[in-house]
Amino acid sequence: TDKMEKADIIRTCIESLAENSLDSTLASFFWFSFAFLLFSYEGAVFCTVSHRIVNTLDAMWGKKNDNYLYFGKFPARFDDILNFIPARISFYLIIFSCFFIKECDYKNAYVIGKKFRGRHASPNSAWAEAPYAGALNLKLAGPVHYGDFFCDYPYLGEGSLDADPAHLKTALTLFQYSIFSSLIFYTFLLFLDKQNIQSKVRLKIFATGNKTLMNYLYSLFSRTIVRSINHGWQSPLCIF
């Protein structure tokens, strides 16, 4: 933060809020509801906790560095897979929430979100960040310093760089409304015909795609562990 102005810090807070609203909350709602429809309460809890574990591992070791490159690569890629569908659903839930906040421009949230949702190194992050940028008429992300290391990331949005505390307050309100909208949406899913969905979806998935998916995950995990060992990383979780 030594090289950041007040507006830059506020924009960073909004960007972090938007990204983590997906990672830590909205995606977990999805996995609870989805797993409940296919399995049971036990399955819903298992999938939700598993998602939180993978997301936490991604946050702790997913960043690229020499010590944990290959160890962090597996949770980072797995987190991308788990958040792929929730990110796309959350995109529309965030835009929907803008309807109820007078400080948010819901039309611009959709236009900017649609335009910039693919302009991020992550396949999912911009799906949450871009609608925030459009709703608040700001530019989020962009060039950043990590200590002495400079990253020339692209901006998300076409608005102003001059963010102020009012923008952050509106972003917090949008976050709260998106959580509420998601709770309503995913709670509605819990009342769908569970048995009918299980017979049409779960059996088909396990009959046709389970072997292919498991082979892919096993291959990815094995290659990651082997490469990590070969590169001599040190980690408190190396026993796994």
Side-chain angles (χ1 to χ4, degrees):
T1 58
D2 293 338
K3 300 179 181 180
M4 300 174 67
E5 300 293 335
K6 178 181 177 181
D8 297 327
I9 295 176
I10 293 175
R11 289 192 306 106
T12 302
C13 290
I14 295 173
E15 177 188 351
S16 179
L17 176 66
E19 180 181 4
N20 286 286
S21 68
L22 168 64
D23 288 345
S24 63
T25 309
L26 302 181
S28 294
F29 290 166
F30 167 82
W31 281 110
F32 182 90
S33 300
F34 180 75
F36 174 78
L37 288 176
L38 295 186
F39 305 106
S40 61
Y41 283 114
E42 292 82 359
V45 172
F46 173 81
C47 287
T48 304
V49 172
S50 298
H51 171 262
R52 295 302 313 130
I53 291 174
V54 171
N55 184 250
T56 302
L57 288 174
D58 176 35
M60 295 176 65
W61 286 289
K63 297 297 183 182
K64 295 180 180 179
N65 62 71
D66 294 335
N67 291 329
Y68 303 109
L69 176 61
Y70 290 102
F71 182 75
K73 191 173 184 178
F74 177 75
R77 293 294 178 265
F78 199 20
D79 184 67
D80 289 341
I81 294 173
L82 293 180
N83 285 341
F84 187 83
I85 296 177
R88 278 115 187 109
I89 296 176
S90 298
F91 175 81
Y92 294 100
L93 291 174
I94 292 171
I95 295 173
F96 174 76
S97 300
C98 292
F99 277 98
F100 307 99
I101 306 172
K102 64 179 181 179
E103 294 85 1
C104 290
D105 186 345
Y106 68 88
K107 293 182 179 179
N108 199 47
Y110 176 75
V111 172
I112 295 299
K114 186 177 181 180
K115 183 176 182 180
F116 288 88
R117 60 191 177 185
R119 301 186 186 184
H120 199 286
S122 165
N124 303 315
S125 295
W127 285 78
E129 295 174 20
Y132 271 76
L136 301 172
N137 288 301
L138 292 174
K139 285 183 180 179
L140 299 180
V144 63
H145 289 272
Y146 294 104
D148 296 328
F149 188 69
F150 176 74
C151 295
D152 190 18
Y153 293 136
Y155 285 108
L156 299 177
E158 299 175 343
S160 172
L161 293 173
D162 298 325
D164 56 42
H167 287 110
L168 181 57
K169 183 178 180 180
T170 303
L172 286 168
T173 303
L174 178 56
F175 167 75
Q176 294 168 350
Y177 273 65
S178 64
I179 296 298
F180 184 69
S181 299
S182 299
L183 281 173
I184 294 177
F185 175 74
Y186 289 120
T187 300
F188 171 77
L189 295 183
L190 299 180
F191 291 95
L192 296 179
D193 189 345
K194 182 178 177 181
Q195 292 183 346
N196 186 40
I197 292 176
Q198 287 179 343
S199 62
K200 291 183 178 180
V201 178
R202 186 177 65 177
L203 295 179
K204 183 177 181 180
I205 291 176
F206 279 86
T208 60
N210 186 54
K211 185 176 180 180
T212 302
L213 176 61
M214 292 306 297
N215 286 341
Y216 170 76
L217 293 177
Y218 176 77
S219 175
L220 178 61
F221 180 77
S222 300
R223 285 187 282 109
T224 301
I225 294 298
V226 170
R227 289 179 181 178
S228 299
I229 294 174
N230 290 338
H231 284 74
W233 48 259
Q234 298 295 323
S235 168
L237 295 183
C238 63
I239 57 174
F240 294 104

